[in-house]
Amino acid sequence: MNIATQAAQIGLEWDTRTGAVSVPIYQSATFRHPGLGQSTGYDYSRSGNPTRQALEEGIARLDGAARGFAYSSGMAAITSLLLLFRSGDHIIVTEDLYGGTYRLFEQIFQQFGLEFSYVDTSDNSLVEAAIRPNTKALFIESLTNPLLKVADISYLSALSKSKDLLCIVDNTFLTPYLLRPLELGADIAIYSGSKYLSGHNDTICGLVTVKDPILAEKVYFHQNGAGAILGPQDSWLTIRGIKTLSIRLDRQQENAFLLAKWLEKNAQVAKVYYPGLENHPGHDLQKSQADGFGAMIAFEVISHELVEKLLLRTELISFAESLGGVETLMTFPAVQTHADIEPAKREALGINNRLLRLSVGIENINDLIADLQQAFAAEA
């Protein structure tokens, strides 16, 4: 069955008693037992809630996973996964990753003895060279944030398996609609469900899918034990968002490609990062392993003065953090999403004071281009 159909049908089979097409919101903290030593399958909502379970089973099906898990945020999902590791364990990480993930690793989990090495995961040889005797996992972003580098997930998954490492893929930018990491050999996929999966900038959510049932039981133990679970209302909102994932992403990708081509021709733009462009270094790899290129664009303008001009003069495009919603958003990574990365490291990575990131929405493309055009042309 096509993944677009699966997404549209998520949760439809859930309420067999009433036949409700929309998954009910089970706003209950606890559940009554039918008898001594008996359970309906639900006891306490931290351990399991029917609305959350509908979402978890749905995302597992989309990713081809043994189980799925829903958390109170994407960062809560990553935090819970890090509980799989012990002091002294070493993890190889994508170097230009989301700044919040970097902050979590460097400022929180390092104090508990976890070690992290940051490498360009679009270069397989660098990943292999970074493996140590105490390396336990590879944590990669399928498309990096914000520079949109492409990782060869099949190769890195096979490398991880040969070295007895877990391969964890943050697939937020692409979603299962465009890329399914577990099908390419990864062990775990992570999503900030706040982004494309929910799709309307109204929900904070984290999702995890796990391929192996035994590993999934360990992940569930930590989800239940640490308790950073997603509530039923936000579970329902995420289910509702996933139903329109395919049509939203189709439109967003179409817009992103046209915007990237327009930016390439703009004399005030020095560089455009978008894997859908044929001159992007990861274009062919992305074409071979995914069903699309996503709807994120990064671009570097020719002067820092243009940054503030664009952020404040656009009228349709909002100057706001986050991504993946139906509205087009623009951010300045150096002072927003990646502010917790040291300035020298940011500059070395290319996250400089001229780099902007666009999350392209579903608006009419002519209106988006006109908005950028007038912002570039506006008087200082």
Side-chain angles (χ1 to χ4, degrees), residues 156-289:
L156 294 177
S157 297
L159 174 64
S160 297
K161 186 174 183 181
S162 72
K163 302 293 184 180
D164 197 26
L165 313 178
L166 283 180
C167 183
I168 304 170
V169 179
D170 185 331
N171 193 37
T172 296
F173 277 17
L174 294 171
T175 81
Y177 180 60
L178 299 179
L179 178 73
R180 291 163 294 284
L182 305 190
E183 290 183 0
L184 298 176
D187 298 294
I188 297 173
I190 302 172
Y191 302 92
S192 174
S194 319
K195 312 304 191 292
Y196 290 102
L197 292 170
S198 295
H200 294 81
N201 289 318
D202 58 8
T203 313
I204 299 296
C205 166
L207 295 167
V208 165
T209 57
V210 183
K211 182 163 58 177
D212 177 66
I214 296 174
L215 179 60
E217 281 298 317
K218 295 178 182 178
V219 172
Y220 173 70
F221 175 82
H222 292 303
Q223 183 200 38
N224 182 44
I229 49 87
L230 191 66
Q233 176 72 31
D234 286 329
S235 295
W236 182 86
L237 282 169
T238 306
I239 290 169
R240 185 182 68 168
I242 290 174
K243 287 176 177 290
T244 60
L245 174 65
S246 63
I247 57 174
R248 286 186 285 105
L249 258 177
D250 284 347
R251 177 61 172 268
Q252 287 168 302
Q253 284 193 112
E254 178 185 346
N255 282 350
F257 177 74
L258 294 172
L259 267 182
K261 296 293 284 185
W262 182 84
L263 287 165
E264 271 195 317
K265 297 174 183 176
N266 190 309
Q268 297 181 86
V269 175
K271 189 170 185 178
V272 179
Y273 301 86
Y274 180 64
L277 297 174
E278 291 189 0
N279 59 7
H280 186 284
H283 176 81
D284 290 338
L285 173 59
Q286 182 70 0
K287 196 172 180 179
S288 70
Q289 71 179 3

Side-chain angles (χ1 to χ4, degrees), residues 95-99 102-103 107 145 334 337-346 349 351:
E95 63 178 2
D96 63 310
L97 81 167
Y98 170 52
Y102 179 83
R103 177 180 59 222
Q107 298 183 30
N145 183 0
T337 55
H338 292 71
D340 285 295
I341 298 176
E342 299 89 343
K345 182 176 176 62
R346 283 200 311 263
L349 291 172
I351 307 171

Side-chain angles (χ1 to χ4, degrees), residues 328-348:
T328 298
L329 306 179
M330 184 157 47
T331 61
F332 184 25
V335 300
Q336 290 180 283
T337 55
H338 292 71
D340 285 295
I341 298 176
E342 299 89 343
K345 182 176 176 62
R346 283 200 311 263
E347 189 72 26

Side-chain angles (χ1 to χ4, degrees), residues 264-327:
E264 271 195 317
K265 297 174 183 176
N266 190 309
Q268 297 181 86
V269 175
K271 189 170 185 178
V272 179
Y273 301 86
Y274 180 64
L277 297 174
E278 291 189 0
N279 59 7
H280 186 284
H283 176 81
D284 290 338
L285 173 59
Q286 182 70 0
K287 196 172 180 179
S288 70
Q289 71 179 3
D291 296 322
F293 301 100
M296 297 298 299
I297 301 171
F299 65 100
E300 188 178 310
V301 291
I302 59 175
S303 70
H304 176 62
E305 289 70 30
L306 278 169
V307 168
E308 185 173 1
K309 185 177 177 181
L310 290 173
L311 291 174
L312 301 183
R313 300 281 181 142
T314 49
E315 297 170 357
L316 287 178
I317 299 170
S318 297
F319 173 26
E321 297 192 39
S322 199
L323 58 101
V326 294
E327 306 90 356

